[in-house]
Amino acid sequence: MATRFLLAFAICRLIVTVGLTLDPTELLRLEVEGFLSVEPADLGAASRDFGGMKNAEPLAVLHPASAEDVARLVKAAYESGQGFTVSARGHGHSIKGQAMITHGVVVQMSGSKKVAPPRVSEKFMYVDVWGGELWIDVLSSTLKYGLAPKSWTDYLYLSVGGTLSNAGISGQAFNHGPQISNIYELDVVTGKGELLTCTEKKNSDLYHGVLGGLGQFGIITRARIALENAPHRVRWIRVLYSNFSVFTQDQEYLISLHGQAATQKFDYVEGFVIVDEGLINNWRSSFFSPRNPVKISSLNADGGVLYCLEITKNYQESNANTIDQEVGVLLKKLNFIPASEFTTDLPYVDFLDRVHKAELKLRAKNLWDVPHPWLNLFVPKSRIADFDKGVFKGILGDKTSGPILIYPMNKNKWGVKNSVVTPDEDIFYLVAFLRSALDNGDETQTLNYLTNQNNRILKFCSDAGIKAKQYLPHYTTQQQWMDHFGDKWTVFSKRKLEFDPKHILATGQRIFKPFFNPSAPLL
Ligand code: FAD
């Protein structure tokens, strides 16, 4: 009763402050198994994200206990005379407020204690999970059966619905495709409040729309994720290059092996750029031994920049006696700097969960909850050398503020019908500037400086005609979104009309304005 009173009070306050003409009883009438909250702690948490650059407080937060709860809320929004928006929030790891809203209700998908736990089918090698499940929990539930998902993100404290709304990529993508290529079935609550099951064959437009769909067509309440036998251990290798074209040739050679037998290819191919000596042991993992520090100057770096190839080979303990030989054969085909090989060996779970260790270290130094002006780009293979010259050896200078990942992927592993957009070439690179802004007196670390640098990088691509696509995209006008989607825009907007005709969902992406309040700011 107290909550209902608070909720009514909060809604009335909102009506007065922003002029929203929502009938408070519409929310009060909502019968849910979970609960609607207007507690300051809940509203505060839903107003922030990992980017740390945006803030927007919702009207209320729904902690759902089931897909039906989500459906009831969205249906109420759809049928509401005056209208309100609904945004799913996974673990809030967006950068620019993509899961935030002001004129509506946030559905806090992750962290709900009441939803069904993951259910593994050993026979059919899949797991059914709640849309807000974190990948770390998906992993621990499948490992009980000796199984694991095939395709990952580098960091596992992200929700299934959140990464599937983007793509979900890591070093396995060259082989298995992104996470969205490894989903058999979804349950989705559309913008009309219908709860539908969709697959490649059934409600296929919704299935493809939602995968990489930035939350625009529905809220994913269940995903059926493909599994494989989980390896026990991982041989994790880093080797250095001073020449960019030798580095990319090796990376492209390694991803060309995707069709080979498991023993004849690595399982994970990533890499990163080192423009600043301090970054060799960057926050993603301290890897190179402090007793054996790598000096850029001693390695004859081309233009002051080094490139690190990062590869892994998974294995079962029963095959431990052949792993050295398998890795040795594969490494012989590569052209890295002699004696620049760094190897470690660890349990599979520790490898997958590596970034969390870095998170804990940064948290201990109060360096995790800082602004993160990240920029992620897919750069076509044909222009990656120009990007190197103009950005790594140009715009960045010799300073940066976080890891810069670079690795290629095979486009044929990405379903063409899904919503995500990639460059129009068979191979494209992810280039990820994972920046942390600091207020430590160094101008090159400030939010302003780094944001300007991101804009310079985007302008450089545009001026040089490099047809890069943003990953985890952020734009402020619909024209920019139309340019981003290119040929896919027609299908994207048609799907919006079909599945979320009143533009209720995920308005924090700033793609479509809600019909009930088109003049309101999008957040
Ligand atoms: P949120 O930020 O909560 O939501 C993101 C968007 O998805 C919002 O628009 C939201 O409305 C929508 N959404 C959320 N849940 C659902 C749902 N159930 N149904 C429909 N829509 C939904 N990405 C990679 O691909 N690879 C990486 O290696 C990687 N590493 C990362 C490391 C860190 C430290 C961080 C902070 C992010 C990383 N990301 C990576 C990016 C990450 O995939 C995205 O930020 C993703 O959106 C985060 O998921 P979330 O659960 O926090 O989503």
Side-chain angles (χ1 to χ4, degrees):
M1 180 50 91
T3 306
R4 289 200 161 217
F5 176 74
L6 274 176
L7 188 61
F9 177 74
I11 296 165
C12 293
R13 196 193 49 178
L14 198 87
I15 292 166
V16 173
T17 42
V18 300
L20 183 73
T21 45
L22 167 66
D23 175 357
T25 56
E26 290 179 55
L27 273 187
L28 292 175
R29 275 200 303 265
L30 203 67
E31 293 292 337
V32 286
E33 286 171 69
F35 66 101
L36 265 171
S37 168
V38 289
E39 294 295 331
D42 277 325
L43 300 182
S47 337
R48 294 188 294 272
D49 65 19
F50 180 78
M53 295 175 287
K54 295 258 175 203
N55 197 283
E57 191 170 288
L59 178 57
V61 174
L62 172 68
H63 295 275
S66 62
E68 286 72 23
D69 274 3
V70 179
R72 275 180 210 119
L73 174 72
V74 180
K75 201 166 182 41
Y78 180 67
E79 290 177 350
S80 152
Q82 309 299 338
F84 61 94
T85 53
V86 177
S87 187
R89 181 176 191 270
H91 212 208
H93 279 59
S94 291
I95 296 300
K96 295 250 176 99
Q98 284 90 338
M100 292 180 198
I101 37 175
T102 46
H103 298 84
V105 181
V106 163
V107 185
Q108 182 52 59
M109 295 294 290
S110 297
S112 184
K113 303 266 182 296
K114 294 188 177 169
V115 293
R119 288 178 308 278
V120 173
S121 166
E122 283 180 275
K123 184 169 171 206
F124 296 109
M125 303 277 277
Y126 66 70
V127 60
D128 274 325
V129 303
W130 169 247
E133 204 72 59
L134 298 187
W135 284 96
I136 183 74
D137 299 324
V138 177
L139 177 63
S140 44
S141 64
T142 60
L143 280 179
K144 289 179 194 151
Y145 300 84
L147 301 171
K150 300 175 182 177
S151 186
W152 291 99
T153 48
D154 291 347
Y155 177 63
L156 306 188
Y157 289 73
L158 304 169
S159 78
V160 169
T163 70
L164 296 186
S165 296
N166 287 293
I169 50 171
S170 184
Q172 303 85 8
F174 81 93
N175 197 18
H176 294 295
Q179 290 178 326
I180 54 170
S181 298
N182 291 276
I183 300 299
Y184 295 140
E185 188 175 289
L186 297 167
D187 282 347
V188 175
V189 173
T190 69
K192 298 178 193 165
E194 307 153 309
L195 175 56
L196 298 176
T197 298
C198 54
T199 68
E200 183 89 50
K201 300 236 164 77
K202 179 177 172 189
N203 292 320
S204 66
D205 228 25
L206 180 62
Y207 170 81
H208 290 299
V210 161
L211 295 172
L214 307 172
Q216 295 307 300
F217 312 111
I219 298 181
I220 300 168
T221 54
R222 179 183 60 93
R224 178 166 289 179
I225 302 166
L227 301 177
E228 64 179 1
N229 289 320
H232 296 138
R233 295 193 67 83
V234 170
R235 185 64 55 87
W236 183 9
I237 300 145
R238 285 177 173 178
V239 290
L240 296 173
Y241 294 76
S242 56
N243 183 304
F244 187 68
S245 71
V246 178
F247 169 70
T248 50
Q249 270 163 30
D250 275 1
Q251 279 196 323
E252 286 168 24
Y253 163 70
L254 289 171
I255 71 159
S256 76
L257 301 177
H258 63 91
Q260 301 290 317
T263 51
Q264 282 161 29
K265 62 189 171 194
F266 283 108
D267 294 292
Y268 164 103
V269 178
E270 283 204 9
F272 55 92
V273 182
I274 303 165
V275 295
D276 173 350
E277 242 159 58
L279 278 175
I280 288 194
N281 287 307
N282 65 53
W283 63 257
R284 282 178 74 245
S285 64
S286 48
F287 188 92
F288 302 108
S289 159
R291 275 172 282 134
N292 178 18
V294 180
K295 286 264 170 244
I296 292 192
S297 46
S298 68
L299 289 171
N300 207 7
D302 175 11
V305 180
L306 276 179
Y307 309 93
C308 179
L309 170 69
E310 184 174 58
I311 42 200
T312 72
K313 190 96 195 80
N314 301 337
Y315 66 100
Q316 304 296 358
E317 258 144 22
S318 54
N319 295 338
N321 51 350
T322 56
I323 185 73
D324 285 344
Q325 199 208 342
E326 272 176 29
V327 168
V329 170
L330 287 166
L331 285 179
K332 274 214 181 86
K333 305 255 173 66
L334 304 179
N335 297 300
F336 51 88
I337 300 171
S340 73
E341 185 187 329
F342 300 83
T343 299
T344 190
D345 198 287
L346 70 176
Y348 187 53
V349 181
D350 292 4
F351 172 71
L352 290 180
D353 201 24
R354 61 203 178 280
V355 175
H356 184 54
K357 295 204 176 63
E359 173 186 355
L360 295 178
K361 283 187 203 156
L362 287 181
R363 279 192 186 280
K365 294 185 198 160
N366 284 330
L367 290 175
W368 186 256
D369 289 323
V370 297
H372 293 104
W374 286 13
L375 178 65
N376 286 270
L377 296 173
F378 290 143
V379 180
K381 169 190 150 171
S382 65
R383 303 303 303 275
I384 195 70
D386 298 320
F387 192 92
D388 171 58
K389 277 191 214 98
V391 179
F392 303 147
K393 296 191 179 109
I395 292 174
L396 290 187
D398 61 356
K399 279 249 167 206
T400 183
S401 53
I404 305 168
L405 308 187
I406 174 168
Y407 56 90
M409 285 171 280
N410 295 307
K411 189 168 170 113
N412 64 3
K413 301 277 175 179
W414 293 60
V416 283
K417 293 184 187 162
N418 297 337
S419 292
V420 66
V421 192
T422 58
D424 203 9
E425 286 188 15
D426 291 347
I427 293 173
F428 57 89
Y429 281 77
L430 170 78
V431 181
F433 299 89
L434 307 182
R435 304 153 172 298
S436 298
L438 302 176
D439 203 4
N440 60 3
D442 178 349
E443 204 235 323
T444 65
Q445 306 279 303
T446 59
L447 180 57
N448 195 25
Y449 184 92
L450 296 172
T451 306
N452 285 338
Q453 202 173 61
N454 286 344
N455 291 336
R456 282 176 66 202
I457 293 169
L458 291 170
K459 183 165 183 319
F460 165 77
C461 289
S462 156
D463 291 351
I466 298 176
K467 295 199 169 108
K469 293 287 178 193
Q470 283 191 39
Y471 178 54
L472 314 172
H474 172 74
Y475 298 103
T476 48
T477 67
Q478 197 173 69
Q479 184 57 50
Q480 289 170 330
W481 280 111
M482 289 166 84
D483 294 344
H484 170 78
F485 282 105
D487 293 348
K488 283 194 171 181
W489 175 255
T490 310
V491 173
F492 196 83
S493 46
K494 199 177 126 270
R495 285 175 176 162
K496 186 72 175 174
L497 195 63
E498 182 173 355
F499 299 116
D500 181 21
K502 291 193 177 170
H503 301 181
I504 288 166
L505 300 174
T507 48
Q509 295 279 5
R510 306 168 72 103
I511 307 174
F512 299 98
K513 289 190 170 195
F515 277 7
F516 65 84
N517 200 2
S519 57
L522 271 174
L523 268 180

